[in-house]
């Protein structure tokens, strides 16, 4: 998507407070999906669970506001990376499933994604590799979020993400991880997708200044192979060109006068950020 100039990307303290609720509703929808996900359930059933959760908490699906998209979540399975459409596909043991969800409450938006790997005793090595891929992706996201707490400019986030992936022990032992470059994170607020872009890799430009009022969705998308992708015939689902497995993790994060707060995590990101030396501060 096209992103505008930096003017207007910073929210007021009052607007930041209004973004807390949609973040929590988004988090609740993914928690409900995580609890329900298992072999034998369809991706459309997961979609219904997310929608029911969002509506029960007074929100609406912001994904359904995207022209041409009718569902509450995106469900991307195995070599599908992002934008997978829920349907009759039944999950099976060993699947790696990324679920992306978003909620709007009071005209403000939340956006988050998780990856779950289903157990399969018959394929322990494949399951272990897929869980490692998910772990690397998730931790790269948290390293990007941690960098946001001290960054002067936004594009330091992508540097931290790529640096973590490059220096991960499995990478040094020969594992291959492809950080997608065609799809990036974004600002979020009145719209689900706003300026500025949030890169998951190093770029030359410094990006906008990190200061109170900045709210961004940080979302690394990583494959166990190529960064090349193609869009399936449904015109939505983005898949890896070489059939490699993929993982997608995302959180919406606010910068305010006293620190950062992960809007789409019930604890603001405290548990995950503690090992990285960062203590998130609730929005006052």
């Amino acid at each position: 998507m096209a992103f505008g100039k930096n003017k207007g990307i910073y929210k007021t303290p009052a607007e930041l407070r209004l973004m807390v609720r949609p973040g929590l509703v988004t988090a609740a929808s993914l928690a409900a999906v995580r609890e329900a996900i298992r072999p034998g359930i369809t991706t459309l059933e997961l979609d219904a669970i997310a929608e029911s959760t969002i509506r029960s908490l007074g929100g609406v699906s912001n994904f359904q506001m995207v022209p041409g998209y009718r569902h509450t979540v995106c469900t991307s399975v195995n070599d599908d990376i992002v934008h997978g459409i829920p349907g009759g596909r039944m999950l099976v043991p060993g699947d790696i499933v990324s679920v992306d969800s978003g909620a709007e409450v009071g005209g403000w938006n939340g956006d988050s994604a998780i990856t779950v790997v289903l157990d399969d005793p018959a394929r322990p090595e494949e399951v272990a590799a897929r869980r490692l891929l998910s772990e690397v992706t998730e931790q790269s996201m948290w390293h990007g979020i941690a960098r946001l707490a001290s960054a002067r400019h936004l594009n330091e986030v992508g540097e931290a993400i790529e640096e973590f992936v490059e220096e991960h022990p499995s990478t040094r032992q020969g594992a291959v991880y492809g950080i997608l470059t065609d799809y990036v994170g974004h600002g979020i607020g009145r719209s689900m997708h706003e300026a500025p872009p949030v890169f998951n890799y190093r770029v030359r430009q410094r990006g906008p200044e990190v200061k109170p009022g900045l709210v961004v969705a940080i979302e690394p998308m990583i494959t166990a192979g190529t960064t090349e992708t193609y869009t399936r015939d449904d015109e939505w689902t983005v898949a890896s060109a070489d059939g490699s497995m993929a993982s997608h993790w995302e959180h919406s994060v606010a910068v305010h006068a006293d620190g950062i707060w992960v809007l789409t995590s019930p604890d603001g990101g405290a548990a995950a950020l503690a090992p990285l030396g960062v203590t998130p501060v609730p929005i006052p």
Side-chain angles (χ1 to χ4, degrees):
M1 64 177 295
F3 294 94
K5 295 182 179 180
N6 294 341
K7 182 180 179 181
I9 66 173
Y10 303 102
K11 278 70 177 176
T12 67
E15 290 172 333
L16 292 181
R17 288 192 289 273
L18 291 171
M19 294 197 67
V20 172
R21 183 62 182 167
L24 291 174
V25 173
T26 300
S29 72
L30 288 173
V33 167
R34 185 193 292 274
E35 184 175 347
I37 198 167
R38 66 185 189 282
I41 197 168
T42 68
T43 53
L44 191 59
E45 288 174 310
L46 296 177
D47 185 78
I49 289 167
E51 180 173 14
S52 175
T53 302
I54 290 171
R55 292 191 178 279
S56 71
L57 295 172
V60 295
S61 167
N62 50 22
F63 282 32
Q64 292 182 9
M65 299 178 188
V66 176
Y69 199 79
R70 301 181 292 106
H71 298 285
T72 297
V73 297
C74 293
T75 50
S76 305
V77 184
N78 295 339
D79 57 332
D80 293 341
I81 307 169
V82 287
H83 304 164
I85 301 176
R89 180 173 188 166
M90 185 177 294
L91 299 181
V92 301
D95 278 345
I96 178 170
V97 188
S98 295
V99 183
D100 193 354
S101 183
E104 181 185 282
V105 180
W108 294 92
N109 289 268
D111 190 10
S112 184
I114 62 172
T115 295
V116 177
V117 180
L118 303 183
D119 194 25
D120 183 359
R123 296 184 294 163
E125 292 185 2
E126 288 185 38
V127 169
R130 293 174 183 188
R131 286 184 172 154
L132 180 59
L133 170 63
S134 177
E135 177 187 338
V136 169
T137 307
E138 181 184 11
Q139 288 304 311
S140 75
M141 174 194 66
W142 285 113
H143 277 72
I145 292 171
R147 180 68 66 86
L148 186 69
S150 60
R152 295 184 61 188
H153 293 90
L154 181 59
N155 290 349
E156 293 176 48
V157 168
E159 179 182 46
I161 290 172
E162 185 170 12
E163 184 178 84
F164 173 81
V165 175
E166 288 177 340
E167 295 183 357
H168 193 273
S170 61
T171 304
R172 294 181 177 275
Q173 293 169 8
V176 176
Y177 300 113
I179 303 173
L180 263 63
T181 55
D182 289 342
Y183 299 89
V184 299
H186 52 87
I188 184 169
R190 283 286 192 183
S191 299
M192 182 170 57
H193 295 109
E194 297 182 350
V198 183
F199 299 101
N200 298 311
Y201 48 90
R202 297 183 187 91
V203 295
R204 281 187 161 187
Q205 303 87 350
R206 296 189 302 174
E209 185 179 356
V210 175
K211 63 182 184 180
L214 182 68
V215 187
V216 292
I218 297 173
E219 53 174 327
M221 293 149 274
I222 299 179
T223 73
T226 184
T227 60
E228 298 298 317
T229 66
Y230 71 97
T231 302
R232 295 194 186 276
D233 292 342
D234 61 20
E235 299 183 350
W236 285 99
T237 307
V238 177
S240 62
D242 63 355
S244 57
M245 299 296 101
S247 176
H248 175 208
W249 282 87
E250 177 182 19
H251 272 307
S252 299
V253 189
V255 179
H256 59 96
D258 300 320
I260 66 167
W261 188 252
V262 182
L263 295 162
T264 45
S265 178
D267 69 349
L273 290 170
L276 304 180
V278 174
T279 301
V281 181
I283 296 171

